[in-house]
């Protein structure tokens, strides 16, 4: 822990919500002098499975290799670790968060900044998402924060501004929103029968309230709707409704589509010692989806969780079984990056390229960098995405 971090905490405690996060030295996110800002998304790394076997630790070595391969080809300004960093089911209470050290090695080696959301596997009897955040904070290059602290909020809810390369411009060019879709089991809690206690797996109402009020404060502060992107581990129900309704077309929403039906916020089968259907979908994420649609300037939302899906779709209309009407917001999956977790689809990492030029048209470019070194599913998320014809993505395994 550095002096800057300690100072940052002291300052944070004494300032208002919007002034609360003075960036530390070298931590401010900026477009390059070329007018570009690239994000690499590491999705579902699942470190720490079966640590008393040979294959468990080997999976983590493999996942590190994937990260290094991706970062040798891509040169992002920010890495997003979008949930399920660790599989908490078999880890030990005393050292379960030590896996964070291994996860961030490839980033530290390249002096990269990162920002995390936590997933359902980041909470279990022996693993606490609060403790993962504390472990991340050993490094100044972790930009992850907890801006909402209610008993139901989860942890990784915050936003990050991205500024122009021209340091005299103080209005951010881009905002990044991070949401915690919770899930998994509560840390060190057992019910009266001695079973682990599951945690709700959708973005909580207290977080939606924080999002809408912070959004309004930022609008007042900057005098405009700053374009934005959002990250949340578990996808919202609109993705399932699209997949099961209009359907994913390989040339219009190119990507693998093997988790069919996919699992969305609100639906959980339980994990670890909690078995059987723990929660059924019952519209739990409607307030969150409504808030996303109401966010002027929000261009796209990125999720993981369903390792066998990596497509994007434009939510531009009504969807079967849903009352909300899309407004052109793009919803995307990442690519399963880790060797841990289910599935052996060729591992990779979603890349997101924002350019100052295309930002004026609310357009971003995205593709997947595979562990083979190849790219896959390169698309432009613009006004005609969903009607533009692209090559289909090959459904391959490692
Ligand atoms: C800027 O663009 C040039 C030419 O495309 C490229 O060689 C260089 O790496 C870019 N710099 C950054 C910081 O992206
Ligand atoms: C590690 O990666 C190699 C190469 O992809 C693969 O053959 C092997 O099965 C992987 N091992 C584990 C335990 O995931
Ligand atoms: C939790 O960790 C302790 C050791 O710290 C271990 O004895 C116990 O088996 C673990 N429990 C679970 C459910 O993994
Ligand atoms: C945690 O402790 C266990 C038991 O001592 C050990 O086997 C394991 O390698 C440790 N894991 C980490 C990530 O340090
Ligand atoms: C980081 O760099 C050190 C020193 O070069 C090296 O030993 C280590 O293997 C690297 N770690 C990763 C994850 O690449
Ligand atoms: C959140 O609240 C709990 C309980 O009051 C406290 O222990 C913890 O330090 C708080 N965390 C943050 C990041 O403010
Ligand atoms: C930076 O922006 C200011 C306006 O805020 C402008 O006057 C200046 O020319 C810009 N500098 C560069 C290098 O573009
Ligand atoms: C749609 O709206 C109607 C009328 O308010 C309501 O009865 C129904 O439950 C809603 N359906 C869904 C799926 O939210
Ligand atoms: C969107 O991008 C695609 C692919 O680059 C392009 O063919 C299409 O013309 C673009 N649409 C608009 C409205 O710019
Ligand atoms: C909405 O998106 C679908 C593809 O997802 C496309 O077929 C349809 O033409 C789009 N409608 C409009 C009005 O853009």
């Amino acid at each position: 822990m550095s002096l800057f971090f300690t100072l940052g905490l002291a300052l944070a405690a004494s300032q208002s919500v919007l002034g609360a996060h003075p960036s530390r030295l070298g931590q401010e996110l900026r477009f390059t002098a070329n007018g570009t800002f690239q994000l690499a998304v590491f999705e579902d790394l699942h470190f720490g499975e079966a640590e008393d076997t040979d294959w468990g630790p080997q999976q983590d070595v493999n996942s590190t290799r994937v990260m290094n391969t991706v970062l040798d080809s891509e040169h992002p300004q920010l890495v997003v670790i979008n949930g399920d960093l660790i599989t908490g089911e078999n880890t030990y209470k005393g050292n379960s968060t030590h896996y964070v050290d291994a996860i961030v090695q490839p980033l530290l080696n390249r002096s990269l900044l990162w920002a995390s959301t936590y997933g359902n596997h980041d909470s279990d009897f022996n693993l606490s998402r609060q403790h993962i955040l504390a472990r991340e904070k050993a490094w100044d290059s972790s930009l992850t924060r907890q801006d909402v602290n209610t008993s139901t909020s989860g942890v990784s809810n915050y936003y990050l501004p991205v500024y122009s390369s021209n340091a005299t411009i103080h209005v951010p060019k881009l905002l990044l929103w991070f949401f915690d879709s919770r899930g998994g089991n509560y840390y060190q809690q057992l019910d009266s029968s001695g079973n682990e206690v599951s945690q709700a797996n959708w973005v909580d109402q207290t977080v939606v309230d924080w999002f809408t009020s912070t959004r309004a404060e930022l609008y007042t502060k900057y005098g405009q709707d700053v374009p934005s992107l959002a990250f949340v581990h578990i996808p919202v129900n609109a993705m399932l409704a699209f997949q099961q309704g209009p359907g994913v077309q390989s040339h219009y929403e190119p990507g693998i589509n093997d988790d069919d039906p996919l699992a969305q916020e609100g639906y959980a089968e339980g994990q670890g010692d909690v078995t059987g259907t723990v929660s059924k979908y019952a519209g739990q994420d409607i307030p969150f989806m409504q808030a996303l649609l109401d966010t002027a300037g929000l261009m796209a939302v990125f999720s993981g969780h369903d390792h066998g899906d990596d497509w994007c779709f434009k939510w531009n209309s009504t969807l079967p079984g849903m009352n909300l009407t899309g407004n052109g917001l793009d919803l995307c999956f990442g690519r399963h990056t880790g060797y841990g977790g289910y599935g052996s689809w060729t591992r990779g990492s979603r890349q997101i390229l924002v350019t100052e030029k295309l930002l004026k048209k609310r357009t971003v470019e995205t593709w997947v960098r595979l562990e083979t070194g190849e790219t896959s599913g390169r698309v432009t998320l613009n006004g005609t995405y969903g009607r533009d014809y692209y090559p289909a993505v090959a459904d391959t395994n490692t």
Side-chain angles (χ1 to χ4, degrees):
M1 196 172 300
S2 75
L3 177 62
F4 286 114
F5 178 59
T6 317
L7 277 176
L9 270 186
L11 280 172
S14 67
Q15 295 189 1
S16 70
V17 178
L18 290 180
H21 312 294
S23 47
R24 289 162 235 147
L25 209 61
Q27 270 196 322
E28 208 146 72
L29 295 172
R30 288 195 179 280
F31 280 75
T32 66
N34 285 356
T36 62
F37 187 81
Q38 185 173 336
L39 303 98
V41 185
F42 290 144
E43 192 66 70
D44 294 273
L45 288 164
H46 284 276
F47 271 62
E49 289 187 353
E51 61 186 17
D52 54 350
T53 65
D54 288 337
W55 59 267
Q58 182 58 42
Q59 283 189 163
D60 298 346
V61 169
N62 281 359
S63 301
T64 298
R65 187 186 67 224
V66 176
M67 289 190 270
N68 280 320
T69 301
V70 168
L71 295 174
D72 285 345
S73 300
E74 305 286 356
H75 301 286
Q77 278 65 55
L78 178 71
V79 168
V80 175
I81 310 178
N82 204 19
D84 286 1
L85 283 65
I86 301 170
T87 301
E89 284 159 38
N90 313 110
T91 53
Y92 291 90
K93 178 172 179 260
N95 62 11
S96 56
T97 62
H98 294 195
Y99 288 104
V100 170
D101 308 12
I103 290 171
V104 303
Q105 261 306 307
L107 317 183
L108 295 171
N109 274 12
R110 293 170 176 81
S111 301
L112 286 167
L113 299 172
W114 74 84
S116 306
T117 70
Y118 301 136
N120 47 303
H121 285 281
D122 295 312
S123 276
D124 222 312
F125 184 74
N126 272 347
L127 178 65
S128 139
R129 61 218 295 115
Q130 194 83 56
H131 292 172
I132 295 177
L133 177 61
R135 191 81 186 180
E136 277 194 35
K137 286 303 168 191
W139 295 281
D140 281 341
S141 27
S142 164
L143 305 184
T144 312
R145 293 198 309 262
Q146 179 177 13
D147 282 3
V148 193
N149 193 3
T150 65
S151 59
T152 49
S153 60
V155 171
S156 54
N157 298 292
Y158 60 106
Y159 71 92
L160 296 171
V162 185
Y163 296 97
S164 166
S165 64
N166 182 341
T168 67
I169 300 174
H170 298 298
V171 174
K173 291 274 175 197
L174 178 71
L175 293 175
L176 306 173
W177 293 97
F178 301 87
F179 299 102
D180 194 325
S181 47
R182 305 179 289 164
N185 302 314
Y186 282 108
Y187 183 63
Q188 298 290 300
Q189 282 189 32
L190 297 176
D191 66 17
S192 52
S193 316
N195 298 316
E196 292 173 13
V197 182
S198 65
Q199 173 175 223
N201 66 338
W202 57 88
V203 175
D204 186 53
Q205 185 64 51
T206 62
V207 174
V208 174
D209 295 343
W210 162 82
F211 177 32
T212 53
S213 63
T214 306
R215 191 180 66 199
E217 288 171 55
L218 291 171
Y219 178 82
T220 305
K221 178 172 177 181
Y222 298 126
Q224 57 183 263
D225 289 308
V226 177
S228 60
L229 301 172
F231 299 86
V232 62
H233 179 69
I234 308 181
V236 293
N237 185 60
M239 295 194 90
L240 177 70
F242 177 76
Q243 185 193 44
Q244 302 303 306
V248 178
Q249 299 184 77
S250 59
H251 288 290
Y252 295 94
E253 288 88 21
I256 56 170
N257 184 36
D258 290 331
D259 279 334
D260 181 5
L262 61 86
Q264 80 280 47
E265 290 189 21
Y267 174 83
E269 287 177 346
Q271 66 190 46
D273 287 355
V274 178
T275 53
T277 298
V278 172
S279 74
K280 284 199 166 73
Y281 183 71
Q284 295 96 330
D285 60 348
I286 290 175
F288 178 52
M289 287 191 287
Q290 184 68 63
L292 293 172
L293 291 173
D294 290 345
T295 303
L298 180 61
M299 300 180 290
V301 183
F302 298 87
S303 297
H305 190 60
D306 294 285
H307 302 175
D309 293 339
D310 81 338
W311 41 269
C312 298
F313 95 98
K314 183 174 290 298
W315 187 7
N316 64 2
S317 60
T318 54
L319 291 168
M322 287 181 68
N323 287 339
L324 303 179
T325 303
N327 57 4
L329 179 65
D330 294 304
L331 302 181
C332 291
F333 282 107
R335 182 78 166 208
H336 184 201
T337 309
Y339 270 70
Y342 72 91
S344 57
W345 295 277
T346 308
R347 276 74 175 183
S349 162
R350 177 167 294 287
Q351 308 296 309
I352 304 163
L353 179 64
V354 187
T355 64
E356 292 193 23
K357 198 163 142 242
L358 286 178
L359 205 48
K360 295 196 180 83
K361 298 185 202 159
R362 298 289 194 262
T363 292
V364 301
E365 296 166 285
T366 183
W367 64 94
V368 168
R369 175 67 65 173
L370 295 171
E371 60 181 326
T372 57
E374 297 163 312
T375 58
S376 155
R378 186 185 289 269
V379 300
T380 302
L381 301 175
N382 60 16
T384 49
Y385 182 69
R387 285 184 277 149
D388 296 325
Y389 186 92
Y390 290 102
V393 160
D395 191 338
T396 59
N397 289 286
T398 289

